[in-house]
Amino acid sequence: MAERPIVIYGDPVLREVSKPVDSVNQQVKDLVSDMTDTLRKARGLGLAAVQIGVPRRVFLVDLSALDVRETLRVFINPEIVSASGEVELEEGCLSFPDLYQKIVRPATVTVRALDADGKPFEMTAEGMAARAILHEYDHLEGKLFIDYLSPLTRQLLKGRLKKLAAC
Ligand code: NI
């Protein structure tokens, strides 16, 4: 499979609500394989399918980057079961090169999804893993991390965002 170009902020596809996957068939497995190559090459923590221009409810989080005992996890048709607490962490996104911002989100999240073989699983995560899952889940809803910034911060970043969108 192959690495694919990452969609950058300004492309309207990032605002689309991704559609559920009907069945984890070969086409979906190929998509996951391309996403894995793309994420590894970009050295990112997470990637949603929409970020390679495919608005389907699939995302990856490379938990091995946070914990050597962990692996790259595939989340297909994920659902947030519960989220609790609140923590401010610095966050970035492969669709916003070189932009990092402190964002408040839940500290712990429980998510249910299908894995790369179509098998259901549920996991609870905290820290950066929870952060990555919540961030990637948002991509499926057409939501971006800059949406959480205060109007003042957005105003301050206006020039940089405009530049990104013009790329
Ligand atoms: Ni992102």
Side-chain angles (χ1 to χ4, degrees), residues 56-118:
R56 287 282 157 168
R57 299 186 85 82
V58 180
F59 69 73
L60 311 180
V61 175
D62 189 3
L63 296 172
S64 71
L66 302 168
D67 183 342
V68 289
R69 294 163 300 180
E70 267 290 355
T71 54
L72 187 147
R73 296 267 197 140
V74 179
F75 299 79
I76 298 171
N77 293 347
E79 281 170 57
I80 303 291
V81 179
S82 64
S84 61
E86 208 179 74
V87 64
E88 188 179 55
L89 287 172
E90 192 168 67
E91 209 170 304
C93 178
L94 291 173
S95 295
F96 293 79
D98 301 321
L99 186 72
Y100 298 91
Q101 291 293 317
K102 283 187 172 166
I103 309 277
V104 176
R105 288 190 196 262
T108 307
V109 65
T110 298
V111 60
R112 196 180 288 153
L114 302 177
D115 68 14
D117 298 314

Side-chain angles (χ1 to χ4, degrees), residues 51 93 135-136 139:
Q51 289 180 280
C93 178
H135 175 113
E136 297 311 325
H139 274 300

Side-chain angles (χ1 to χ4, degrees), residues 10-155:
D11 189 316
V13 78
L14 291 174
R15 289 301 186 184
E16 276 185 37
V17 177
S18 292
K19 290 193 176 68
V21 166
D22 295 328
S23 78
V24 183
N25 55 22
Q26 195 53 49
Q27 200 185 345
V28 173
K29 287 179 182 179
D30 290 347
L31 171 67
V32 167
S33 172
D34 282 1
M35 287 172 68
T36 304
D37 289 347
T38 306
L39 179 60
R40 290 237 158 96
K41 194 79 186 271
R43 295 174 177 278
L45 189 55
L47 183 75
V50 70
Q51 289 180 280
I52 58 166
V54 182
R56 287 282 157 168
R57 299 186 85 82
V58 180
F59 69 73
L60 311 180
V61 175
D62 189 3
L63 296 172
S64 71
L66 302 168
D67 183 342
V68 289
R69 294 163 300 180
E70 267 290 355
T71 54
L72 187 147
R73 296 267 197 140
V74 179
F75 299 79
I76 298 171
N77 293 347
E79 281 170 57
I80 303 291
V81 179
S82 64
S84 61
E86 208 179 74
V87 64
E88 188 179 55
L89 287 172
E90 192 168 67
E91 209 170 304
C93 178
L94 291 173
S95 295
F96 293 79
D98 301 321
L99 186 72
Y100 298 91
Q101 291 293 317
K102 283 187 172 166
I103 309 277
V104 176
R105 288 190 196 262
T108 307
V109 65
T110 298
V111 60
R112 196 180 288 153
L114 302 177
D115 68 14
D117 298 314
K119 255 176 54 190
F121 71 97
E122 190 175 298
M123 75 175 285
T124 298
E126 51 186 31
M128 275 314 287
R131 178 53 56 112
I133 289 165
L134 289 161
H135 175 113
E136 297 311 325
Y137 184 83
D138 271 357
H139 274 300
L140 310 187
E141 298 294 314
K143 204 163 177 187
L144 299 169
F145 80 127
I146 55 164
D147 300 345
Y148 293 93
L149 299 174
S150 69
L152 178 64
T153 308
R154 284 186 77 136
Q155 188 61 32

